[in-house]
Amino acid sequence: DTEVTQTPKHLVMGMTNKKSLKCEQHMGHRAMYWYKQKAKKPPELMFVYSYEKLSINESVPSRFSPECPNSSLLNLHLHALQPEDSALYLCASSLTGLTEAFFGQGTRLTVV
Amino acid sequence: GQNIDQPTEMTATEGAIVQINCTYQTSGFNGLFWYQQHAGEAPTFLSYNVLDGLEEKGRFSSFLSRSKGYSYLLLKELQMKDSASYLCAVAQGGKLIFGQGTELSVKP
């Protein structure tokens, strides 16, 4: 199993809604990441979890709240988002922080 | 600071060879990755260089010179399906930092 699975694939939410994005991998990877990608731009790192602990937060606004319940799961909780937060949210995992990262197919988020 | 530069766009002909360059200036270096991303899809891993030299993987090769802060991705026998964005990424301090990507168009 070399997959990183993200759900949902598409999400439309209002600015007052609370929603969560989910990511799962069963490769035994100990580093997991959230990236945000706007159209025709590269992925932008948001958070890194290493051994289930938050190791990097790239000054992301608090309306994005990550959670790592166990070594296979990574969530991103969303609350009071703005229309400019609309983007493709990519989850990735790697064996350690120094090896290649495998990406999920992403969640395309639209904030209305 | 972090600076990773790639050409924005390139065009090449089916069956030809194309070289996509990447230069970087980063505060740390744990390796350089190349990813391919088709429109609307996730990036997929192509290659990894941590030591100087050439890594070959089928039609794709990647080269690294750490002293020059330079890498390239070489694609041989181009196929139409190779039309995609190619992302150079530097690993440092537990992060993977991406360049802006090179949009490659392969023409018949």
Side-chain angles (χ1 to χ4, degrees):
Chain A
D1 183 0
T2 55
E3 276 194 5
V4 177
T5 304
Q6 289 186 245
T7 54
K9 290 193 172 17
H10 300 274
L11 179 62
V12 179
M13 62 185 289
M15 289 188 280
T16 56
N17 290 160
K18 281 186 184 181
K19 296 284 185 185
S20 296
L21 308 185
K22 295 185 183 304
C23 174
E24 192 168 357
Q25 57 87 13
H26 296 287
M27 295 180 277
H29 288 178
R30 305 316 300 263
M32 295 185 77
Y33 313 83
W34 281 114
Y35 283 86
K36 174 182 175 179
Q37 188 175 26
K38 293 278 216 180
K40 300 203 179 293
K41 295 286 186 185
E44 233 177 271
L45 183 65
M46 299 174 74
F47 302 104
V48 181
Y49 272 83
S50 181
Y51 291 86
E52 299 160 54
K53 294 201 182 324
L54 183 64
S55 57
I56 296 174
N57 175 341
E58 291 286 89
S59 304
V60 179
S62 60
R63 58 186 184 268
F64 295 91
S65 173
E67 179 198 17
C68 189
N70 60 55
S71 59
S72 299
L73 294 174
L74 187 66
N75 298 323
L76 186 63
H77 303 298
L78 315 173
H79 173 54
L81 294 194
Q82 304 296 310
E84 58 265 29
D85 296 322
S86 299
L88 181 68
Y89 287 85
L90 292 162
C91 173
S93 71
S94 61
L95 187 61
T96 70
L98 302 177
T99 55
E100 68 266 29
F102 293 86
F103 284 82
Q105 289 300 307
T107 294
R108 189 157 297 282
L109 175 69
T110 304
V111 182
V112 297
Chain B
Q2 326 278 33
N3 199 33
I4 302 173
D5 285 319
Q6 310 177 229
T8 308
E9 295 177 331
M10 296 183 74
T11 302
T13 305
E14 196 175 12
I17 299 173
V18 72
Q19 177 174 314
I20 303 174
N21 295 324
C22 171
T23 57
Y24 63 91
Q25 288 176 301
T26 55
S27 52
F29 181 84
N30 296 120
L32 190 140
F33 297 83
W34 284 95
Y35 282 83
Q36 179 192 63
Q37 188 174 25
H38 286 100
E41 297 183 11
T44 54
F45 168 75
L46 290 178
S47 71
Y48 171 56
N49 295 71
V50 66
L51 300 175
D52 291 353
L54 189 67
E55 293 284 338
E56 296 187 80
K57 236 183 179 185
R59 294 190 300 117
F60 297 82
S61 305
S62 57
F63 172 82
L64 176 67
S65 168
R66 288 171 298 168
S67 62
K68 293 182 178 158
Y70 168 68
S71 174
Y72 67 71
L73 179 71
L74 195 71
L75 293 80
K76 301 177 191 172
E77 299 166 21
L78 279 173
Q79 301 174 11
M80 300 299 290
K81 67 178 183 179
D82 297 328
S83 292
S85 181
Y86 290 85
L87 299 158
C88 169
V90 172
Q92 56 117 214
K95 305 181 194 185
L96 198 58
I97 301 167
F98 286 87
Q100 291 296 309
T102 298
E103 193 67 39
L104 174 67
S105 297
V106 180
K107 309 283 186 199

